Amino acid sequence: MIRAMVHRVREVFIYLFLAVFYKATGTVKPYWRPGSGLSPDNDRAYCLSWRLGVETNNVRAWRTVPSECKEYIETYMTRGQYYLDLNFITNQISTYADEIALSNDGMDAWILDIDDTCISNIIYYQGKRYGCDPYDPLGFKAWAMKGECSAIPFMLGLFDRLVQSGFKVILLTGRDEETLGQATTDNLHSQGFIGYERLIFRTTAYKGQMAVTFKSEIRKQLVEEGYRIWGNVGDQWSDLQGEFTGNRTFKLPNPMYFVP
């Protein structure tokens, strides 16, 4: 008991010492809100924390990027860090995939999302202030109909590697099949996504369902058909949650929008 008390007193002493030290040196910054005007560095630090919260799914059901973070998100998406993060993650995926011993029945599968996983919508979101503007379903549909999304290079390389290794790659998207099916298929083919096992869209049977529900049901059907889902890659947590998510999931960064 005496030893425990000594330990506790030591902890309190250390805590008080650190508190006094940080206060004296100014290490601890006061809490701030974005746009509070304390300093640009504080706003940037807030936006970095906000993005971390988004990527770790601690910030949920958010509708728009905080307006104060527009410049930060633009810098992240266009000045290199986004692509460095993608490169790092796809290297992790490749390392994992290389360790898998494939069977001879052709049922070893990977699931890839499409939007901002295989192909990029960054040009569209430039016009939406990188997510600071509310989601515009009609505007996005008009953009997707053009079929001008470019391939995300690291993901195209991963896609080719998985296909060549013998995996059955299944592309699963929440895009509506009736209105965007052909445009999306053509867009994917023009960007080099050729050789996949299936391309699955949202049909009228799943209209109005949340992405988690829709994608869980599709994965369930695939497992019931005998597919072994070794990996599941998406830019939204709703791509990776629910049932039958696969042996491993990999979240790609996307601080521009949230899909429930």
Side-chain angles (χ1 to χ4, degrees):
M1 179 179 293
I2 295 176
R3 180 178 298 178
M5 290 178 62
V6 170
H7 180 72
R8 178 58 180 162
V9 169
R10 182 181 299 170
E11 286 184 337
V12 172
F13 175 77
I14 292 173
Y15 173 80
L16 291 173
F17 172 79
L18 291 175
V20 171
F21 173 79
Y22 289 144
K23 184 175 182 180
T25 59
T27 303
V28 176
K29 302 289 186 182
Y31 174 77
W32 73 92
R33 295 172 299 173
S36 62
L38 288 179
S39 78
D41 288 342
N42 282 345
D43 279 356
R44 183 183 184 282
Y46 170 85
C47 294
L48 192 156
S49 296
W50 180 84
R51 182 174 66 83
L52 176 64
V54 164
E55 298 300 355
T56 54
N57 204 31
N58 291 323
V59 178
R60 302 183 182 183
W62 52 278
R63 299 188 63 185
T64 61
V65 171
S67 59
E68 296 82 3
C69 297
K70 187 265 183 184
E71 182 177 347
Y72 170 81
I73 298 300
E74 179 179 5
T75 297
Y76 173 75
M77 296 299 298
T78 63
R79 301 291 178 86
Q81 188 60 53
Y82 169 66
Y83 296 101
L84 289 173
D85 291 348
L86 286 174
N87 183 45
F88 181 86
I89 295 169
T90 52
N91 283 336
Q92 297 297 310
I93 297 172
S94 296
T95 299
Y96 164 66
D98 289 344
E99 297 172 349
I100 299 172
L102 275 69
S103 65
N104 295 320
D105 61 5
M107 302 301 283
D108 296 301
W110 274 75
I111 294 180
L112 306 183
D113 174 52
I114 290 181
D115 283 298
D116 295 298
T117 298
C118 291
I119 53 178
S120 174
N121 293 300
I122 192 169
I123 293 177
Y124 171 77
Y125 276 95
Q126 286 175 347
K128 298 297 180 180
R129 299 193 302 145
Y130 295 93
C132 290
D133 293 342
Y135 176 62
D136 176 8
L138 294 180
F140 181 79
K141 179 180 177 181
W143 156 255
M145 286 291 292
K146 295 179 180 180
E148 296 178 353
C149 296
S150 60
I152 296 176
F154 301 110
M155 286 302 298
L156 179 58
L158 175 67
F159 170 86
D160 288 337
R161 186 169 183 172
L162 291 173
V163 171
Q164 292 169 12
S165 297
F167 289 101
K168 302 301 182 182
V169 178
I170 298 168
L171 305 182
L172 176 57
T173 178
R175 288 190 178 195
D176 177 64
E177 182 174 44
E178 183 178 359
T179 57
L180 295 176
Q182 192 60 55
T184 303
T185 302
D186 293 343
N187 194 166
L188 288 166
H189 289 180
S190 71
Q191 293 299 309
F193 289 93
I194 300 172
Y196 51 78
E197 175 77 354
R198 295 188 195 177
L199 171 53
I200 303 175
F201 295 91
R202 185 191 292 268
T203 62
T204 54
Y206 301 102
K207 186 175 182 179
Q209 285 190 352
M210 296 179 65
V212 172
T213 304
F214 159 62
K215 293 197 171 185
S216 290
E217 178 59 30
I218 297 298
R219 292 192 299 263
K220 176 183 178 183
Q221 294 174 17
L222 292 170
V223 170
E224 289 175 346
E225 291 176 28
Y227 285 103
R228 292 177 293 276
I229 303 174
W230 286 102
N232 183 8
V233 186
D235 68 299
Q236 299 292 316
W237 280 102
S238 54
D239 299 326
L240 312 174
Q241 294 177 322
E243 299 182 286
F244 304 94
T245 55
N247 194 57
R248 279 196 66 177
T249 61
F250 295 89
K251 170 72 168 64
L252 302 184
N254 184 358
M256 298 186 297
Y257 58 88
F258 177 90
V259 177

